[in-house]
């Protein structure tokens, strides 16, 4: 998409691209603790049916994913794996931090082994609070992310160097 | 001091008006058999709670043989192996939130003396392991004292293969060396982790940076009497 990178994309076309991107989010599930149960309910159960929001939660690898949901407790030992996962995703990529542990350490705020928030490792777009959040909360987080994507200026996002973590 | 951490010699709740002292003959027989197999010198302490459990404290030298002897007696199910640090926290309760101290107006600042649990003890660190006999329906808790200047003991992993990872975890959490262990490296912690987190003198640095806020639900809950929000 050289047109996007050059920043000469017409606004209407940019909007159209954003709409198509926001309704085709391939979400990678990174379930680490009890939040993964709620994420599974939100993503894989017919009761909540996340596909009606245009989210496809079955990428075979992070290299096919647009969004990763960090659901659960990130420990210091896992931190390199999280960074590597994020680096493998193709740009544009988004991160939802789900639950208190991924947001700030949560109940393990004083632990010797838990990373105090996944945003210390990778940039986070949407924080979903709760311990664990209900599936509805995660769905609202996705809708908030879709709003963000819809109003995103791709040329602005891609103006600089690609995001490098770590 | 809680019930669990009371020494064997102290009887805090004497049951005088109840039935006379109950004798658990099955567990007493197990204890006698263990003492016979290990030698009377090896068993340095014991405690039986009738109908509940048996604690056996052996010497550090007899620790590997205790597993062999118990396994030969039918205690073939390895439950867990860990350690206890009996040192009272050197940090006291000074990092607690003020709200949490309200119910306990005079928390002890000074280090308290070490008080070991059932079957007694003499050292700060104690090994703790439990074996279970499925046929007998009973378990035995083994303990062993470890002197501070030499935290090493023979491995159980030759007798019970399942003890392998338990000993690795005890090694990384308490700094206890298991002599003869085939692969004594860190299990849960990152390879370059410094210190032994389950020791009582391991500082939780996050608490120094930001003390525990204590009661955080200071906002009125919705629907409560104090709620001001009537803009529904």
């Amino acid at each position: 998409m050289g047109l996007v990178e050059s920043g000469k994309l017409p606004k209407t076309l940019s909007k159209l691209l954003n709409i198509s991107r926001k309704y085709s989010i391939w979400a990678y599930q990174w379930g680490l603790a009890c939040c993964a149960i709620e994420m599974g309910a939100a993503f894989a159960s017919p009761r909540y049916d996340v596909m009606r929001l245009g989210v496809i939660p079955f990428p075979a690898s992070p290299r096919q994913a647009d969004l990763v949901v960090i659901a659960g407790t990130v420990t210091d030992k896992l931190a390199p794996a999280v960074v590597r996962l994020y680096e493998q995703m193709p740009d544009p990529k988004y991160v939802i931090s789900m639950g208190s542990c991924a947001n700030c350490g949560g109940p393990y705020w004083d632990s010797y082994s838990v990373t105090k928030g996944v945003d210390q490792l990778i940039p986070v777009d949407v924080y979903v609070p709760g311990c664990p959040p209900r599936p509805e909360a995660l769905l609202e987080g996705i809708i908030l992310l879709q709003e963000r994507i819809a109003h995103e200026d791709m040329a602005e996002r891609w103006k600089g160097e690609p995001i490098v973590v770590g | 001091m809680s019930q669990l951490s009371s020494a064997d010699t102290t009887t805090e709740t004497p049951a005088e008006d109840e039935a006379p002292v109950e004798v658990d003959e099955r567990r007493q027989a197990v204890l006698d058999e263990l003492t016979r197999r290990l030698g009377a010198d090896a068993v340095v302490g014991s405690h039986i709670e009738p109908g509940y459990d048996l604690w056996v404290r052996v010497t550090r030298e007899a620790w590997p043989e205790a597993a062999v002897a118990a396994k030969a007696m039918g205690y073939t199910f390895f439950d867990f192996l860990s350690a206890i640090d009996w040192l009272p926290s050197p940090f006291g309760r000074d990092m607690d939130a003020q709200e949490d101290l309200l119910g306990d107006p005079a928390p002890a600042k000074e280090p308290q003396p070490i008080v070991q649990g059932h079957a007694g003890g003499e050292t700060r660190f104690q090994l703790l392991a439990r074996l279970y006999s499925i046929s007998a329906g009973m378990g035995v808790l083994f303990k062993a004292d470890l002197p501070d200047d030499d935290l090493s003991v023979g491995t159980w992993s030759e007798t019970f293969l399942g003890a392998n990872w338990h000993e690795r975890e005890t090694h990384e959490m308490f700094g206890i060396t298991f002599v003869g262990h085939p692969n004594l490296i860190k299990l849960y912690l990152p390879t370059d982790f410094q210190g032994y987190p389950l020791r009582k003198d391991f500082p939780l640095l996050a608490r120094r940076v930001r003390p525990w806020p204590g009661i955080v639900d200071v906002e009125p809950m919705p629907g409560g009497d104090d709620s001001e929000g009537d803009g529904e």
Side-chain angles (χ1 to χ4, degrees), chain A residues 76-77 109-113 116, chain B residues 187-189 204 206-207 210 212:
Chain A
D76 291 342
K77 191 168 187 176
W109 64 283
D110 60 350
S111 165
Y112 55 86
S113 61
K116 311 297 180 292
Chain B
L187 176 64
Y188 294 117
L189 294 173
L204 292 173
R207 290 200 170 209
R210 186 172 168 223
W212 171 238

Side-chain angles (χ1 to χ4, degrees), chain B residues 137-157:
Chain B
M138 286 194 302
V140 183
L141 253 165
F142 286 96
K143 286 184 170 183
D145 290 344
L146 292 178
D148 282 355
D149 51 354
D150 184 16
L151 292 175
S152 67
V153 72
T155 180
W156 272 25
S157 59

Side-chain angles (χ1 to χ4, degrees), chain A residues 14 25 27-28 46 49 55 59 63 65 75 78 83-84 91 96 103 108 110 122 133 147 155-156 158 162 164:
Chain A
S14 176
I25 298 175
Y28 196 70
D49 188 18
V55 173
R63 294 174 190 234
T75 58
L78 188 80
V83 172
R84 184 165 186 178
D91 225 350
I96 288 183
N103 289 346
Y108 312 111
D110 60 350
I122 54 177
E147 276 180 27
E156 190 68 28
W158 282 355
V164 177

Side-chain angles (χ1 to χ4, degrees), chain A residues 83 86-89 91 93 121-123 160-166:
Chain A
V83 172
Y86 184 78
E87 284 174 344
Q88 285 188 341
M89 289 167 62
D91 225 350
K93 50 192 171 185
L121 306 169
I122 54 177
E161 294 295 308
I163 300 169
V164 177
V165 175

Side-chain angles (χ1 to χ4, degrees), chain B residues 19-34:
Chain B
V21 180
E22 200 180 342
V23 178
D24 194 328
E25 291 175 0
R26 296 174 66 211
R27 287 185 170 82
Q28 186 63 49
V30 171
L31 176 60
D32 292 343
E33 175 68 14
L34 270 174

Side-chain angles (χ1 to χ4, degrees), chain B residues 112-136:
Chain B
Q112 299 295 301
I114 292 180
V115 181
Q116 277 89 357
H118 287 320
E122 285 146 21
T123 55
R124 176 185 161 189
F125 288 101
Q126 270 191 329
L127 283 166
L128 178 74
R130 182 174 171 82
L131 298 177
Y132 195 81
S133 168
I134 293 165
S135 55

Side-chain angles (χ1 to χ4, degrees), chain A residues 17-18 33 43 48 57 82-83 86 95 108 111 119 125 127 136 143 146 150 159 166:
Chain A
L17 276 177
N18 280 346
F43 278 178
Y48 295 99
V82 172
V83 172
Y86 184 78
V95 177
Y108 312 111
S111 165
D119 52 3
D125 292 279
Y127 297 87
E136 294 93 327
I143 290 169
Q146 285 178 334
K159 203 159 59 179

